[in-house]
Amino acid sequence: MPVNLFKWFARPHALLDAGVLSMNRRNLCYVSRYNKRSLLPLVDDKLSTKRLAEKAGVAVPKLLGVIQYQHDVQQLHKLLDHLSEFVIKPANGSGGKGILVITGRDGSDFVKGSGEKLGFADVKRHVTNTLGGLYSLGGKTDVALIESLIRADPVFERYSHEGVPDIRTIVFKGYPVMAMLRLATKASDGKANLHQGAVGVGLDMASGQSLRAVQFDQPVTHHPDTMQDFSALSVPHWKQLLTLTARCYEMTGLGYLGVDMVLDQNEGPLILELNARPGLAIQIANGSGLRSRLEMIETLKSGDNAVSERVTYAMTHFSHF
Amino acid sequence: MNTARTQLALVVILLTVAGLGLTLYKHMTLGFPLLPGRHSPVWTLEAQINFDAEDGPAQAILTLPAAQDGAIVLDEFFSSPGYGINVKKQGSQRQAVWSIRQAEERQTLFYRIQLRLEPEHLTKAADEPASDKPDTPVLTEPYSTAAKTLLATIREKSSDNESFTGTLLQELNSVDPDQNTNMLLGNLTSRNDKVQLILDLLHQEGIHARMVRGLQLEDGRRKQPIVDMVEIWNGWHWILFNPDTAASGAPDNFFLWQRGGKSLLDVMGGSHSRVEFSMISQPIPTKQLALEEAASGISMVDFSIYSLPLEEQNAFKTILLVPIGILVVLVMRVLVGLRTSGTFMPVLIAVAFLQTRWLPGLVIFITVVTVGLWLRFILSRLNMLLVARLGSVVIMVVGIMVTMSILSWKLGITQALTVTFFPMIILAWTIERMSILWEEEGPRDVFIEGFGSLLVASLSYLLMTNRHVEYLTFNFPELLMLVLAATLLLGQYTGYRLLELKRFRSLIGKPLQHPAEY
């Protein structure tokens, strides 16, 4: 085979040696083996995830209200009357679509994160659109959630173009396995989606220290919009955050899980969303493969270990340093 | 897990052995060739007669193909519930007579013949004209004068019977015929009348001529009409002419059904009668197959595709190609890692390509989806429920198809008329999916998925139109078991996809940098 083919393609056994998890293997050996199909609706719907979390005592952004049916929209005025900052999001939305962030009031008007002012009628129309399925996957009718506003921890302030950065952790059989921070950029249009140009920052499992950062699968050293150096970045409350992710296993019963968290400056780590088919880009952001870590856990003598033991295991075994 | 793997391996082995075994049995014992075109083909021709009975006795007379050199009749079959069948000889031609005492409503009769055609099957007719001069037909005025003038002009431009006929046909088919020709043609109502006019004119000129009917053989055609030709005597032998193109000689793959002017189908006690033909070519005659199987004690043929009516057999030629497309989709998704819009949508697009041909199909598909996407964006500004929105997309697709057909017809691009072969619902779903993708992920993803889908569809089409693939899937349907085995194996593949080798290439051989080394 000509040599320069390998400039573009890795040799399969080299990827295998690096412990890289393939999509086929993720689907067959992890998602379909460890995630019972009947449990999937728990994580597909943000409302049921939230209720589940509240029951289990797992920290989530506070639910201020739910608008389930069109006639509930009449209640909206009473509900929002005493609120000055909140977020309205669809329960079945994806990729940040349909999320309305209100950061303040100006008389009877609502002020958006961007500074734009909305009247009550605009907010009401947004809720009606949400219920009609405008933002939900496949256009199914939906439910609108009203949540407390998250104020991102100041540590991220200079690293995000827009929006609140979130931390994606892969949790396998209750063990946090790999984590990355996702930062919105101008290119990603304020969305924390790697595939659309958000920056992924691999995080050391022992400390939350940044390892390396990638955008469009290519390493970067500075945030493309704010020009901040990623090497100084370290996620605080790390152990508390890992503990929270590990608890999602008992909460949902799903063996292979992607947990998305945010760091609120007052509330600390909060669970934002769960994903039963988390993507593989986290490997690129971390510069290392998932497969070897997953297999380590598969060989562990089972017998349910306590959450704290699992977190300690992850912090000692999956550290880079 | 391990038992599941063993079970799967067992099933795969069983399927492979059974599929290959049956294929080899058919090849070695029953003599099915494994490659197409190694033997002279066996053609099965089916005539389907339809008429509306008038609530009384009914009789249908169909002229049967004449015996001819190089065409060996292997099997003949009449199907007609409740009818008495009688075959009688009428000169050199045979006729089948179906009769019934009481018939009402729509009647359908079948005649099926199986022939082996040698390459040079269409030999020239051996007979000679019965008389020196044909009977001169009597034409009424003013047609008589017009005919005489026309014949005189043609005579000046030609040297013998053959060139006379050629010139006459060219004149009759010319875009800008002269006044006399116009008058003669103006009197015609059907194609049959035109052939009759040609015969009358030739007879007037003293040239022996007769009508010949036949079929243009093409594998897998359904609902074909019979083709009328003109045969003239040049003094030594008979020469065929196509009355529409003035071309002389028999066209390739022409099967001669009937000589002379008797009608092909006569129906008494019925109306709206018509006869249509289906044809299919096979590597081996089913009768021979049946005989050999009967000798070996098992009869598989009774339960094979060959036992179905020709129309259904032809339908299966396409249906049996679908698994090949499925296999292509699997390979491209599981081994290569291409993204497609809708799992098996590319296969359905490839099936539509079979009808439209590749390039016209591609252009039509891209046009419809692009226009549809544009209209769908206008629609998405209105706040609508899913089912209503999908419904409107389907209606818009119908609108686009109609507009496209009419516009292209007016512009003279007839290929675009094949737009009807694309399944509407698939087009609508593609548009819906693409527009959601556009809104959620952006145009880049739409192009990636669209490109992936069309690439997979094109590859499927390439494989499905391969002569060998087509031949093997239809004549050895047991090979489906091998396709199924391959599918089951691919369903267990946990290795890397080709595109993952590219995506994850940054993960190898690079020691991780410590943050201090940034």
Side-chain angles (χ1 to χ4, degrees), chain A residues 189-203:
Chain A
D189 196 23
K191 289 178 185 157
N193 191 338
L194 250 58
H195 171 74
Q196 288 174 334
V199 172
V201 184
L203 299 174

Side-chain angles (χ1 to χ4, degrees), chain A residues 70-101:
Chain A
Q70 189 57 42
H71 66 257
D72 294 344
V73 179
Q74 312 302 329
Q75 317 282 317
L76 192 64
H77 198 272
K78 222 166 72 192
L79 203 63
L80 297 184
D81 204 27
H82 61 281
L83 297 176
S84 59
E85 44 177 53
F86 55 88
V87 177
I88 301 181
K89 58 166 74 163
N92 287 296
S94 73
K97 253 183 58 174
I99 298 184
L100 179 67
V101 181

Side-chain angles (χ1 to χ4, degrees), chain A residues 163-236:
Chain A
V164 181
D166 72 349
I167 298 148
R168 155 69 59 90
T169 310
I170 304 284
V171 180
F172 179 50
K173 292 173 85 175
Y175 290 83
V177 174
M178 196 176 272
M180 73 167 160
L181 178 69
R182 296 186 296 194
L183 303 165
T185 62
K186 230 176 222 146
S188 76
D189 196 23
K191 289 178 185 157
N193 191 338
L194 250 58
H195 171 74
Q196 288 174 334
V199 172
V201 184
L203 299 174
D204 177 47
M205 287 304 282
S207 59
Q209 165 70 42
S210 72
L211 296 170
R212 71 168 194 167
V214 291
Q215 186 187 26
F216 291 121
D217 292 353
Q218 293 304 311
V220 288
T221 56
H222 294 75
H223 191 284
D225 306 320
T226 66
M227 299 319 281
Q228 283 295 319
D229 187 348
F230 287 121
S231 62
L233 184 63
S234 182
V235 176

Side-chain angles (χ1 to χ4, degrees), chain B residues 100-127:
Chain B
I100 193 164
R101 178 74 59 178
Q102 175 67 31
E104 52 187 321
E105 298 182 335
R106 193 118 185 104
Q107 303 287 308
T108 304
L109 310 171
F110 285 102
Y111 167 71
R112 192 194 290 182
I113 184 168
Q114 206 171 47
L115 307 141
R116 186 189 287 287
L117 293 185
E118 304 300 339
E120 63 287 350
H121 68 90
L122 198 75
T123 46
K124 298 211 159 63
D127 60 334

